[in-house]
Each structure stands twice: as structure tokens, then as C-alpha cells.
PDB file of all heavy atoms in Angstrom:
ATOM      1  N   LEU V 250      21.657   0.716   4.218  1.00 88.00           N
ATOM      2  CA  LEU V 250      20.604   0.768   3.194  1.00 88.00           C
ATOM      3  C   LEU V 250      20.093  -0.639   2.870  1.00 88.00           C
ATOM      4  O   LEU V 250      18.880  -0.853   2.723  1.00 88.00           O
ATOM      5  CB  LEU V 250      21.145   1.438   1.936  1.00 88.00           C
ATOM      6  CG  LEU V 250      20.164   1.585   0.758  1.00 88.00           C
ATOM      7  CD1 LEU V 250      18.965   2.415   1.187  1.00 88.00           C
ATOM      8  CD2 LEU V 250      20.867   2.212  -0.432  1.00 88.00           C
ATOM      9  N   ALA V 251      21.001  -1.602   2.776  1.00 89.00           N
ATOM     10  CA  ALA V 251      20.585  -2.969   2.486  1.00 89.00           C
ATOM     11  C   ALA V 251      19.731  -3.536   3.615  1.00 89.00           C
ATOM     12  O   ALA V 251      18.722  -4.215   3.368  1.00 89.00           O
ATOM     13  CB  ALA V 251      21.816  -3.847   2.256  1.00 89.00           C
ATOM     14  N   LEU V 252      20.121  -3.263   4.853  1.00 88.00           N
ATOM     15  CA  LEU V 252      19.319  -3.726   5.988  1.00 88.00           C
ATOM     16  C   LEU V 252      17.938  -3.079   5.990  1.00 88.00           C
ATOM     17  O   LEU V 252      16.932  -3.727   6.309  1.00 88.00           O
ATOM     18  CB  LEU V 252      20.054  -3.420   7.298  1.00 88.00           C
ATOM     19  CG  LEU V 252      21.336  -4.227   7.567  1.00 88.00           C
ATOM     20  CD1 LEU V 252      22.017  -3.731   8.839  1.00 88.00           C
ATOM     21  CD2 LEU V 252      21.018  -5.707   7.694  1.00 88.00           C
ATOM     22  N   ALA V 253      17.886  -1.802   5.635  1.00 88.00           N
ATOM     23  CA  ALA V 253      16.594  -1.113   5.572  1.00 88.00           C
ATOM     24  C   ALA V 253      15.699  -1.724   4.498  1.00 88.00           C
ATOM     25  O   ALA V 253      14.495  -1.921   4.704  1.00 88.00           O
ATOM     26  CB  ALA V 253      16.806   0.373   5.302  1.00 88.00           C
ATOM     27  N   GLU V 254      16.293  -2.042   3.332  1.00 86.00           N
ATOM     28  CA  GLU V 254      15.512  -2.670   2.264  1.00 86.00           C
ATOM     29  C   GLU V 254      15.004  -4.045   2.697  1.00 86.00           C
ATOM     30  O   GLU V 254      13.862  -4.428   2.407  1.00 86.00           O
ATOM     31  CB  GLU V 254      16.378  -2.802   1.008  1.00 86.00           C
ATOM     32  CG  GLU V 254      16.746  -1.483   0.346  1.00 86.00           C
ATOM     33  CD  GLU V 254      15.540  -0.820  -0.303  1.00 86.00           C
ATOM     34  OE1 GLU V 254      14.509  -1.494  -0.501  1.00 86.00           O
ATOM     35  OE2 GLU V 254      15.618   0.388  -0.591  1.00 86.00           O
ATOM     36  N   GLU V 255      15.844  -4.778   3.404  1.00 85.00           N
ATOM     37  CA  GLU V 255      15.445  -6.100   3.883  1.00 85.00           C
ATOM     38  C   GLU V 255      14.281  -6.002   4.860  1.00 85.00           C
ATOM     39  O   GLU V 255      13.298  -6.760   4.778  1.00 85.00           O
ATOM     40  CB  GLU V 255      16.634  -6.786   4.543  1.00 85.00           C
ATOM     41  CG  GLU V 255      16.334  -8.183   5.066  1.00 85.00           C
ATOM     42  CD  GLU V 255      17.506  -8.810   5.762  1.00 85.00           C
ATOM     43  OE1 GLU V 255      18.596  -8.181   5.782  1.00 85.00           O
ATOM     44  OE2 GLU V 255      17.364  -9.931   6.303  1.00 85.00           O
ATOM     45  N   GLN V 256      14.370  -5.070   5.807  1.00 87.00           N
ATOM     46  CA  GLN V 256      13.294  -4.885   6.773  1.00 87.00           C
ATOM     47  C   GLN V 256      12.011  -4.405   6.093  1.00 87.00           C
ATOM     48  O   GLN V 256      10.905  -4.865   6.423  1.00 87.00           O
ATOM     49  CB  GLN V 256      13.734  -3.896   7.849  1.00 87.00           C
ATOM     50  CG  GLN V 256      14.876  -4.411   8.711  1.00 87.00           C
ATOM     51  CD  GLN V 256      15.382  -3.357   9.685  1.00 87.00           C
ATOM     52  OE1 GLN V 256      14.860  -2.242   9.722  1.00 87.00           O
ATOM     53  NE2 GLN V 256      16.373  -3.717  10.471  1.00 87.00           N
ATOM     54  N   ALA V 257      12.170  -3.473   5.126  1.00 84.00           N
ATOM     55  CA  ALA V 257      10.993  -2.966   4.424  1.00 84.00           C
ATOM     56  C   ALA V 257      10.317  -4.079   3.631  1.00 84.00           C
ATOM     57  O   ALA V 257       9.076  -4.178   3.586  1.00 84.00           O
ATOM     58  CB  ALA V 257      11.391  -1.819   3.496  1.00 84.00           C
ATOM     59  N   ALA V 258      11.113  -4.935   2.983  1.00 85.00           N
ATOM     60  CA  ALA V 258      10.532  -6.041   2.218  1.00 85.00           C
ATOM     61  C   ALA V 258       9.765  -6.982   3.127  1.00 85.00           C
ATOM     62  O   ALA V 258       8.680  -7.477   2.765  1.00 85.00           O
ATOM     63  CB  ALA V 258      11.643  -6.790   1.481  1.00 85.00           C
ATOM     64  N   GLY V 259      10.303  -7.244   4.312  1.00 84.00           N
ATOM     65  CA  GLY V 259       9.597  -8.105   5.262  1.00 84.00           C
ATOM     66  C   GLY V 259       8.276  -7.512   5.696  1.00 84.00           C
ATOM     67  O   GLY V 259       7.251  -8.223   5.777  1.00 84.00           O
ATOM     68  N   LYS V 260       8.266  -6.228   5.962  1.00 81.00           N
ATOM     69  CA  LYS V 260       7.020  -5.577   6.366  1.00 81.00           C
ATOM     70  C   LYS V 260       6.003  -5.554   5.238  1.00 81.00           C
ATOM     71  O   LYS V 260       4.784  -5.725   5.465  1.00 81.00           O
ATOM     72  CB  LYS V 260       7.315  -4.148   6.848  1.00 81.00           C
ATOM     73  CG  LYS V 260       8.152  -4.075   8.111  1.00 81.00           C
ATOM     74  CD  LYS V 260       7.431  -4.722   9.282  1.00 81.00           C
ATOM     75  CE  LYS V 260       8.241  -4.609  10.566  1.00 81.00           C
ATOM     76  NZ  LYS V 260       7.564  -5.275  11.709  1.00 81.00           N
ATOM     77  N   LEU V 261       6.480  -5.330   3.998  1.00 76.00           N
ATOM     78  CA  LEU V 261       5.559  -5.330   2.858  1.00 76.00           C
ATOM     79  C   LEU V 261       4.948  -6.715   2.652  1.00 76.00           C
ATOM     80  O   LEU V 261       3.764  -6.853   2.292  1.00 76.00           O
ATOM     81  CB  LEU V 261       6.304  -4.897   1.591  1.00 76.00           C
ATOM     82  CG  LEU V 261       6.651  -3.402   1.499  1.00 76.00           C
ATOM     83  CD1 LEU V 261       7.514  -3.140   0.257  1.00 76.00           C
ATOM     84  CD2 LEU V 261       5.382  -2.557   1.446  1.00 76.00           C
ATOM     85  N   LEU V 262       5.772  -7.745   2.869  1.00 79.00           N
ATOM     86  CA  LEU V 262       5.258  -9.109   2.740  1.00 79.00           C
ATOM     87  C   LEU V 262       4.161  -9.385   3.775  1.00 79.00           C
ATOM     88  O   LEU V 262       3.108  -9.952   3.450  1.00 79.00           O
ATOM     89  CB  LEU V 262       6.404 -10.104   2.906  1.00 79.00           C
ATOM     90  CG  LEU V 262       6.028 -11.594   2.822  1.00 79.00           C
ATOM     91  CD1 LEU V 262       5.405 -11.917   1.466  1.00 79.00           C
ATOM     92  CD2 LEU V 262       7.254 -12.457   3.082  1.00 79.00           C
ATOM     93  N   GLU V 263       4.388  -8.932   5.009  1.00 79.00           N
ATOM     94  CA  GLU V 263       3.377  -9.113   6.052  1.00 79.00           C
ATOM     95  C   GLU V 263       2.101  -8.340   5.722  1.00 79.00           C
ATOM     96  O   GLU V 263       0.983  -8.847   5.897  1.00 79.00           O
ATOM     97  CB  GLU V 263       3.940  -8.661   7.400  1.00 79.00           C
ATOM     98  CG  GLU V 263       5.087  -9.527   7.908  1.00 79.00           C
ATOM     99  CD  GLU V 263       5.652  -8.997   9.208  1.00 79.00           C
ATOM    100  OE1 GLU V 263       5.079  -8.014   9.747  1.00 79.00           O
ATOM    101  OE2 GLU V 263       6.658  -9.552   9.699  1.00 79.00           O
ATOM    102  N   ALA V 264       2.300  -7.102   5.225  1.00 74.00           N
ATOM    103  CA  ALA V 264       1.134  -6.288   4.877  1.00 74.00           C
ATOM    104  C   ALA V 264       0.353  -6.925   3.724  1.00 74.00           C
ATOM    105  O   ALA V 264      -0.890  -6.930   3.707  1.00 74.00           O
ATOM    106  CB  ALA V 264       1.574  -4.880   4.502  1.00 74.00           C
ATOM    107  N   GLY V 265       1.082  -7.474   2.718  1.00 74.00           N
ATOM    108  CA  GLY V 265       0.405  -8.121   1.601  1.00 74.00           C
ATOM    109  C   GLY V 265      -0.423  -9.319   2.031  1.00 74.00           C
ATOM    110  O   GLY V 265      -1.528  -9.528   1.540  1.00 74.00           O
ATOM    111  N   LYS V 266       0.100 -10.090   2.961  1.00 76.00           N
ATOM    112  CA  LYS V 266      -0.639 -11.249   3.458  1.00 76.00           C
ATOM    113  C   LYS V 266      -1.925 -10.822   4.168  1.00 76.00           C
ATOM    114  O   LYS V 266      -2.969 -11.456   4.033  1.00 76.00           O
ATOM    115  CB  LYS V 266       0.245 -12.059   4.399  1.00 76.00           C
ATOM    116  CG  LYS V 266       1.405 -12.774   3.698  1.00 76.00           C
ATOM    117  CD  LYS V 266       2.239 -13.562   4.687  1.00 76.00           C
ATOM    118  CE  LYS V 266       3.386 -14.292   3.999  1.00 76.00           C
ATOM    119  NZ  LYS V 266       4.230 -15.055   4.960  1.00 76.00           N
ATOM    120  N   LEU V 267      -1.826  -9.717   4.948  1.00 73.00           N
ATOM    121  CA  LEU V 267      -3.024  -9.242   5.644  1.00 73.00           C
ATOM    122  C   LEU V 267      -4.065  -8.726   4.664  1.00 73.00           C
ATOM    123  O   LEU V 267      -5.278  -8.959   4.816  1.00 73.00           O
ATOM    124  CB  LEU V 267      -2.637  -8.140   6.641  1.00 73.00           C
ATOM    125  CG  LEU V 267      -1.824  -8.580   7.863  1.00 73.00           C
ATOM    126  CD1 LEU V 267      -1.411  -7.363   8.701  1.00 73.00           C
ATOM    127  CD2 LEU V 267      -2.643  -9.540   8.731  1.00 73.00           C
ATOM    128  N   ILE V 268      -3.620  -7.994   3.625  1.00 70.00           N
ATOM    129  CA  ILE V 268      -4.559  -7.444   2.651  1.00 70.00           C
ATOM    130  C   ILE V 268      -5.232  -8.563   1.861  1.00 70.00           C
ATOM    131  O   ILE V 268      -6.442  -8.504   1.540  1.00 70.00           O
ATOM    132  CB  ILE V 268      -3.831  -6.460   1.708  1.00 70.00           C
ATOM    133  CG1 ILE V 268      -3.404  -5.213   2.491  1.00 70.00           C
ATOM    134  CG2 ILE V 268      -4.707  -6.063   0.527  1.00 70.00           C
ATOM    135  CD1 ILE V 268      -2.580  -4.229   1.685  1.00 70.00           C
ATOM    136  N   ASP V 269      -4.480  -9.607   1.534  1.00 72.00           N
ATOM    137  CA  ASP V 269      -5.048 -10.722   0.772  1.00 72.00           C
ATOM    138  C   ASP V 269      -6.171 -11.426   1.538  1.00 72.00           C
ATOM    139  O   ASP V 269      -7.036 -12.069   0.936  1.00 72.00           O
ATOM    140  CB  ASP V 269      -3.960 -11.739   0.423  1.00 72.00           C
ATOM    141  CG  ASP V 269      -3.032 -11.221  -0.661  1.00 72.00           C
ATOM    142  OD1 ASP V 269      -3.432 -10.261  -1.356  1.00 72.00           O
ATOM    143  OD2 ASP V 269      -1.914 -11.753  -0.800  1.00 72.00           O
ATOM    144  N   GLN V 270      -6.188 -11.311   2.825  1.00 73.00           N
ATOM    145  CA  GLN V 270      -7.203 -11.999   3.620  1.00 73.00           C
ATOM    146  C   GLN V 270      -8.543 -11.273   3.635  1.00 73.00           C
ATOM    147  O   GLN V 270      -9.531 -11.815   4.115  1.00 73.00           O
ATOM    148  CB  GLN V 270      -6.699 -12.171   5.062  1.00 73.00           C
ATOM    149  CG  GLN V 270      -5.488 -13.071   5.188  1.00 73.00           C
ATOM    150  CD  GLN V 270      -4.943 -13.122   6.603  1.00 73.00           C
ATOM    151  OE1 GLN V 270      -5.530 -12.509   7.503  1.00 73.00           O
ATOM    152  NE2 GLN V 270      -3.857 -13.863   6.799  1.00 73.00           N
ATOM    153  N   SER V 271      -8.585 -10.011   3.120  1.00 69.00           N
ATOM    154  CA  SER V 271      -9.837  -9.239   3.156  1.00 69.00           C
ATOM    155  C   SER V 271     -10.006  -8.473   1.849  1.00 69.00           C
ATOM    156  O   SER V 271      -9.192  -7.593   1.537  1.00 69.00           O
ATOM    157  CB  SER V 271      -9.817  -8.259   4.344  1.00 69.00           C
ATOM    158  OG  SER V 271     -10.939  -7.414   4.306  1.00 69.00           O
ATOM    159  N   PRO V 272     -11.077  -8.757   1.049  1.00 68.00           N
ATOM    160  CA  PRO V 272     -11.312  -8.007  -0.195  1.00 68.00           C
ATOM    161  C   PRO V 272     -11.536  -6.526   0.061  1.00 68.00           C
ATOM    162  O   PRO V 272     -11.120  -5.681  -0.734  1.00 68.00           O
ATOM    163  CB  PRO V 272     -12.570  -8.671  -0.772  1.00 68.00           C
ATOM    164  CG  PRO V 272     -12.587 -10.040  -0.160  1.00 68.00           C
ATOM    165  CD  PRO V 272     -12.026  -9.883   1.212  1.00 68.00           C
ATOM    166  N   SER V 273     -12.194  -6.193   1.164  1.00 68.00           N
ATOM    167  CA  SER V 273     -12.433  -4.777   1.462  1.00 68.00           C
ATOM    168  C   SER V 273     -11.135  -4.045   1.735  1.00 68.00           C
ATOM    169  O   SER V 273     -11.020  -2.850   1.444  1.00 68.00           O
ATOM    170  CB  SER V 273     -13.370  -4.652   2.669  1.00 68.00           C
ATOM    171  OG  SER V 273     -12.796  -5.266   3.810  1.00 68.00           O
ATOM    172  N   ALA V 274     -10.154  -4.731   2.266  1.00 68.00           N
ATOM    173  CA  ALA V 274      -8.863  -4.093   2.517  1.00 68.00           C
ATOM    174  C   ALA V 274      -8.193  -3.699   1.216  1.00 68.00           C
ATOM    175  O   ALA V 274      -7.538  -2.661   1.134  1.00 68.00           O
ATOM    176  CB  ALA V 274      -7.960  -5.031   3.325  1.00 68.00           C
ATOM    177  N   ILE V 275      -8.374  -4.557   0.183  1.00 67.00           N
ATOM    178  CA  ILE V 275      -7.803  -4.217  -1.117  1.00 67.00           C
ATOM    179  C   ILE V 275      -8.437  -2.940  -1.658  1.00 67.00           C
ATOM    180  O   ILE V 275      -7.761  -2.048  -2.191  1.00 67.00           O
ATOM    181  CB  ILE V 275      -8.010  -5.382  -2.097  1.00 67.00           C
ATOM    182  CG1 ILE V 275      -7.284  -6.637  -1.578  1.00 67.00           C
ATOM    183  CG2 ILE V 275      -7.506  -5.015  -3.499  1.00 67.00           C
ATOM    184  CD1 ILE V 275      -7.482  -7.850  -2.444  1.00 67.00           C
ATOM    185  N   LYS V 276      -9.776  -2.818  -1.530  1.00 68.00           N
ATOM    186  CA  LYS V 276     -10.459  -1.618  -1.996  1.00 68.00           C
ATOM    187  C   LYS V 276     -10.009  -0.385  -1.230  1.00 68.00           C
ATOM    188  O   LYS V 276      -9.778   0.678  -1.812  1.00 68.00           O
ATOM    189  CB  LYS V 276     -11.965  -1.801  -1.859  1.00 68.00           C
ATOM    190  CG  LYS V 276     -12.541  -2.898  -2.754  1.00 68.00           C
ATOM    191  CD  LYS V 276     -14.049  -3.002  -2.562  1.00 68.00           C
ATOM    192  CE  LYS V 276     -14.636  -4.089  -3.465  1.00 68.00           C
ATOM    193  NZ  LYS V 276     -16.108  -4.212  -3.294  1.00 68.00           N
ATOM    194  N   LEU V 277      -9.898  -0.516   0.108  1.00 70.00           N
ATOM    195  CA  LEU V 277      -9.461   0.624   0.906  1.00 70.00           C
ATOM    196  C   LEU V 277      -8.050   1.070   0.514  1.00 70.00           C
ATOM    197  O   LEU V 277      -7.750   2.272   0.466  1.00 70.00           O
ATOM    198  CB  LEU V 277      -9.499   0.256   2.403  1.00 70.00           C
ATOM    199  CG  LEU V 277     -10.891   0.088   3.010  1.00 70.00           C
ATOM    200  CD1 LEU V 277     -10.773  -0.408   4.449  1.00 70.00           C
ATOM    201  CD2 LEU V 277     -11.647   1.414   2.971  1.00 70.00           C
ATOM    202  N   ARG V 278      -7.192   0.108   0.227  1.00 70.00           N
ATOM    203  CA  ARG V 278      -5.825   0.440  -0.189  1.00 70.00           C
ATOM    204  C   ARG V 278      -5.835   1.150  -1.535  1.00 70.00           C
ATOM    205  O   ARG V 278      -5.091   2.105  -1.759  1.00 70.00           O
ATOM    206  CB  ARG V 278      -4.996  -0.840  -0.274  1.00 70.00           C
ATOM    207  CG  ARG V 278      -3.535  -0.600  -0.630  1.00 70.00           C
ATOM    208  CD  ARG V 278      -2.886   0.301   0.385  1.00 70.00           C
ATOM    209  NE  ARG V 278      -1.497   0.564   0.043  1.00 70.00           N
ATOM    210  CZ  ARG V 278      -0.744   1.494   0.612  1.00 70.00           C
ATOM    211  NH1 ARG V 278      -1.279   2.282   1.553  1.00 70.00           N
ATOM    212  NH2 ARG V 278       0.502   1.669   0.248  1.00 70.00           N
ATOM    213  N   LEU V 279      -6.741   0.695  -2.434  1.00 68.00           N
ATOM    214  CA  LEU V 279      -6.869   1.336  -3.741  1.00 68.00           C
ATOM    215  C   LEU V 279      -7.335   2.776  -3.582  1.00 68.00           C
ATOM    216  O   LEU V 279      -6.799   3.701  -4.200  1.00 68.00           O
ATOM    217  CB  LEU V 279      -7.837   0.541  -4.617  1.00 68.00           C
ATOM    218  CG  LEU V 279      -8.188   1.161  -5.973  1.00 68.00           C
ATOM    219  CD1 LEU V 279      -6.938   1.302  -6.831  1.00 68.00           C
ATOM    220  CD2 LEU V 279      -9.248   0.333  -6.681  1.00 68.00           C
ATOM    221  N   TYR V 280      -8.372   2.978  -2.730  1.00 69.00           N
ATOM    222  CA  TYR V 280      -8.880   4.339  -2.512  1.00 69.00           C
ATOM    223  C   TYR V 280      -7.810   5.247  -1.897  1.00 69.00           C
ATOM    224  O   TYR V 280      -7.709   6.430  -2.236  1.00 69.00           O
ATOM    225  CB  TYR V 280     -10.112   4.294  -1.606  1.00 69.00           C
ATOM    226  CG  TYR V 280     -11.292   3.563  -2.213  1.00 69.00           C
ATOM    227  CD1 TYR V 280     -12.239   2.941  -1.394  1.00 69.00           C
ATOM    228  CD2 TYR V 280     -11.454   3.505  -3.608  1.00 69.00           C
ATOM    229  CE1 TYR V 280     -13.318   2.272  -1.941  1.00 69.00           C
ATOM    230  CE2 TYR V 280     -12.538   2.828  -4.151  1.00 69.00           C
ATOM    231  CZ  TYR V 280     -13.458   2.205  -3.323  1.00 69.00           C
ATOM    232  OH  TYR V 280     -14.508   1.547  -3.858  1.00 69.00           O
ATOM    233  N   GLN V 281      -7.020   4.717  -1.001  1.00 73.00           N
ATOM    234  CA  GLN V 281      -5.962   5.516  -0.369  1.00 73.00           C
ATOM    235  C   GLN V 281      -4.914   5.928  -1.398  1.00 73.00           C
ATOM    236  O   GLN V 281      -4.433   7.069  -1.392  1.00 73.00           O
ATOM    237  CB  GLN V 281      -5.306   4.720   0.762  1.00 73.00           C
ATOM    238  CG  GLN V 281      -4.237   5.512   1.514  1.00 73.00           C
ATOM    239  CD  GLN V 281      -3.595   4.696   2.629  1.00 73.00           C
ATOM    240  OE1 GLN V 281      -3.877   3.516   2.768  1.00 73.00           O
ATOM    241  NE2 GLN V 281      -2.744   5.341   3.415  1.00 73.00           N
ATOM    242  N   THR V 282      -4.581   5.011  -2.288  1.00 73.00           N
ATOM    243  CA  THR V 282      -3.617   5.334  -3.343  1.00 73.00           C
ATOM    244  C   THR V 282      -4.158   6.402  -4.273  1.00 73.00           C
ATOM    245  O   THR V 282      -3.456   7.349  -4.651  1.00 73.00           O
ATOM    246  CB  THR V 282      -3.266   4.061  -4.139  1.00 73.00           C
ATOM    247  OG1 THR V 282      -2.768   3.068  -3.244  1.00 73.00           O
ATOM    248  CG2 THR V 282      -2.219   4.354  -5.202  1.00 73.00           C
ATOM    249  N   LEU V 283      -5.443   6.290  -4.650  1.00 70.00           N
ATOM    250  CA  LEU V 283      -6.053   7.302  -5.501  1.00 70.00           C
ATOM    251  C   LEU V 283      -6.107   8.657  -4.811  1.00 70.00           C
ATOM    252  O   LEU V 283      -5.921   9.702  -5.436  1.00 70.00           O
ATOM    253  CB  LEU V 283      -7.467   6.848  -5.897  1.00 70.00           C
ATOM    254  CG  LEU V 283      -7.554   5.614  -6.796  1.00 70.00           C
ATOM    255  CD1 LEU V 283      -9.008   5.215  -7.013  1.00 70.00           C
ATOM    256  CD2 LEU V 283      -6.862   5.863  -8.122  1.00 70.00           C
ATOM    257  N   SER V 284      -6.356   8.641  -3.503  1.00 73.00           N
ATOM    258  CA  SER V 284      -6.396   9.897  -2.748  1.00 73.00           C
ATOM    259  C   SER V 284      -5.035  10.580  -2.747  1.00 73.00           C
ATOM    260  O   SER V 284      -4.918  11.802  -2.890  1.00 73.00           O
ATOM    261  CB  SER V 284      -6.856   9.620  -1.316  1.00 73.00           C
ATOM    262  OG  SER V 284      -6.811  10.803  -0.535  1.00 73.00           O
ATOM    263  N   ASN V 285      -3.971   9.788  -2.612  1.00 71.00           N
ATOM    264  CA  ASN V 285      -2.615  10.360  -2.633  1.00 71.00           C
ATOM    265  C   ASN V 285      -2.287  10.952  -3.994  1.00 71.00           C
ATOM    266  O   ASN V 285      -1.641  12.007  -4.096  1.00 71.00           O
ATOM    267  CB  ASN V 285      -1.589   9.285  -2.271  1.00 71.00           C
ATOM    268  CG  ASN V 285      -1.711   8.832  -0.825  1.00 71.00           C
ATOM    269  OD1 ASN V 285      -2.221   9.574   0.018  1.00 71.00           O
ATOM    270  ND2 ASN V 285      -1.256   7.620  -0.534  1.00 71.00           N
ATOM    271  N   ILE V 286      -2.740  10.266  -5.062  1.00 70.00           N
ATOM    272  CA  ILE V 286      -2.477  10.788  -6.400  1.00 70.00           C
ATOM    273  C   ILE V 286      -3.261  12.076  -6.642  1.00 70.00           C
ATOM    274  O   ILE V 286      -2.766  13.049  -7.209  1.00 70.00           O
ATOM    275  CB  ILE V 286      -2.833   9.721  -7.461  1.00 70.00           C
ATOM    276  CG1 ILE V 286      -1.931   8.489  -7.286  1.00 70.00           C
ATOM    277  CG2 ILE V 286      -2.693  10.287  -8.870  1.00 70.00           C
ATOM    278  CD1 ILE V 286      -2.312   7.332  -8.194  1.00 70.00           C
ATOM    279  N   ALA V 287      -4.527  12.095  -6.190  1.00 69.00           N
ATOM    280  CA  ALA V 287      -5.388  13.256  -6.424  1.00 69.00           C
ATOM    281  C   ALA V 287      -4.969  14.473  -5.625  1.00 69.00           C
ATOM    282  O   ALA V 287      -5.386  15.593  -5.920  1.00 69.00           O
ATOM    283  CB  ALA V 287      -6.837  12.891  -6.091  1.00 69.00           C
ATOM    284  N   ALA V 288      -4.162  14.290  -4.607  1.00 68.00           N
ATOM    285  CA  ALA V 288      -3.748  15.429  -3.774  1.00 68.00           C
ATOM    286  C   ALA V 288      -2.954  16.451  -4.569  1.00 68.00           C
ATOM    287  O   ALA V 288      -2.953  17.643  -4.248  1.00 68.00           O
ATOM    288  CB  ALA V 288      -2.934  14.920  -2.584  1.00 68.00           C
ATOM    289  N   GLU V 289      -2.260  16.008  -5.626  1.00 66.00           N
ATOM    290  CA  GLU V 289      -1.471  16.935  -6.434  1.00 66.00           C
ATOM    291  C   GLU V 289      -2.342  17.813  -7.336  1.00 66.00           C
ATOM    292  O   GLU V 289      -1.932  18.892  -7.748  1.00 66.00           O
ATOM    293  CB  GLU V 289      -0.477  16.142  -7.302  1.00 66.00           C
ATOM    294  CG  GLU V 289       0.541  15.341  -6.503  1.00 66.00           C
ATOM    295  CD  GLU V 289       1.470  16.224  -5.702  1.00 66.00           C
ATOM    296  OE1 GLU V 289       1.700  17.386  -6.118  1.00 66.00           O
ATOM    297  OE2 GLU V 289       1.952  15.762  -4.643  1.00 66.00           O
ATOM    298  N   LYS V 290      -3.566  17.333  -7.681  1.00 66.00           N
ATOM    299  CA  LYS V 290      -4.525  18.090  -8.502  1.00 66.00           C
ATOM    300  C   LYS V 290      -3.965  18.464  -9.870  1.00 66.00           C
ATOM    301  O   LYS V 290      -4.272  19.518 -10.428  1.00 66.00           O
ATOM    302  CB  LYS V 290      -4.970  19.363  -7.771  1.00 66.00           C
ATOM    303  CG  LYS V 290      -5.714  19.094  -6.474  1.00 66.00           C
ATOM    304  CD  LYS V 290      -6.151  20.377  -5.811  1.00 66.00           C
ATOM    305  CE  LYS V 290      -6.889  20.079  -4.503  1.00 66.00           C
ATOM    306  NZ  LYS V 290      -7.331  21.325  -3.812  1.00 66.00           N
ATOM    307  N   ASN V 291      -3.079  17.632 -10.383  1.00 66.00           N
ATOM    308  CA  ASN V 291      -2.501  17.917 -11.693  1.00 66.00           C
ATOM    309  C   ASN V 291      -2.584  16.707 -12.617  1.00 66.00           C
ATOM    310  O   ASN V 291      -1.831  16.588 -13.569  1.00 66.00           O
ATOM    311  CB  ASN V 291      -1.046  18.365 -11.561  1.00 66.00           C
ATOM    312  CG  ASN V 291      -0.195  17.322 -10.856  1.00 66.00           C
ATOM    313  OD1 ASN V 291      -0.700  16.283 -10.462  1.00 66.00           O
ATOM    314  ND2 ASN V 291       1.087  17.623 -10.715  1.00 66.00           N
ATOM    315  N   SER V 292      -3.472  15.786 -12.290  1.00 65.00           N
ATOM    316  CA  SER V 292      -3.595  14.587 -13.116  1.00 65.00           C
ATOM    317  C   SER V 292      -5.053  14.151 -13.159  1.00 65.00           C
ATOM    318  O   SER V 292      -5.852  14.475 -12.274  1.00 65.00           O
ATOM    319  CB  SER V 292      -2.718  13.457 -12.567  1.00 65.00           C
ATOM    320  OG  SER V 292      -3.101  13.147 -11.236  1.00 65.00           O
ATOM    321  N   THR V 293      -5.386  13.414 -14.205  1.00 67.00           N
ATOM    322  CA  THR V 293      -6.738  12.871 -14.379  1.00 67.00           C
ATOM    323  C   THR V 293      -6.666  11.364 -14.243  1.00 67.00           C
ATOM    324  O   THR V 293      -5.809  10.707 -14.858  1.00 67.00           O
ATOM    325  CB  THR V 293      -7.299  13.246 -15.750  1.00 67.00           C
ATOM    326  OG1 THR V 293      -7.305  14.673 -15.864  1.00 67.00           O
ATOM    327  CG2 THR V 293      -8.714  12.701 -15.925  1.00 67.00           C
TER     328      THR V 293
END
């Protein structure tokens, strides 16, 4: 579990660096998160 957390943290760090390089990527990530939340259809 600790090794998995370490690997996941490394991947998240790489992903964060890539997103920071493009403002549109931040918006796309925001829209994707909203889409996942809206899939449940039980929240506003």
C-alpha cells in the first residue's frame, strides 16, 4: 500500500506539472470533475 501511494503521488505530481503548463487543461479537468459529480444526478 505504501509503494502504491508513493507511485500514485509521483504520477499526480507529473500530471499537475503538465496541467499547469496549459490553462485550457485546467478547464478541461474542471469540466471532467463536474461531469463525474453530475453523473449521480442527486446534487446541485
Side-chain angles (χ1 to χ4, degrees):
L250 180 60
L252 291 175
E254 292 290 344
E255 181 182 356
Q256 294 175 1
K260 295 298 182 182
L261 287 174
L262 179 60
E263 294 177 5
K266 291 180 179 179
L267 291 175
I268 292 175
D269 287 342
Q270 295 175 3
S271 174
S273 60
I275 298 177
K276 295 181 179 180
L277 290 174
R278 183 59 181 168
L279 174 62
Y280 296 153
Q281 183 180 6
T282 303
L283 294 175
S284 176
N285 293 336
I286 297 174
E289 298 295 333
K290 297 181 180 180
N291 58 359
S292 59
T293 302

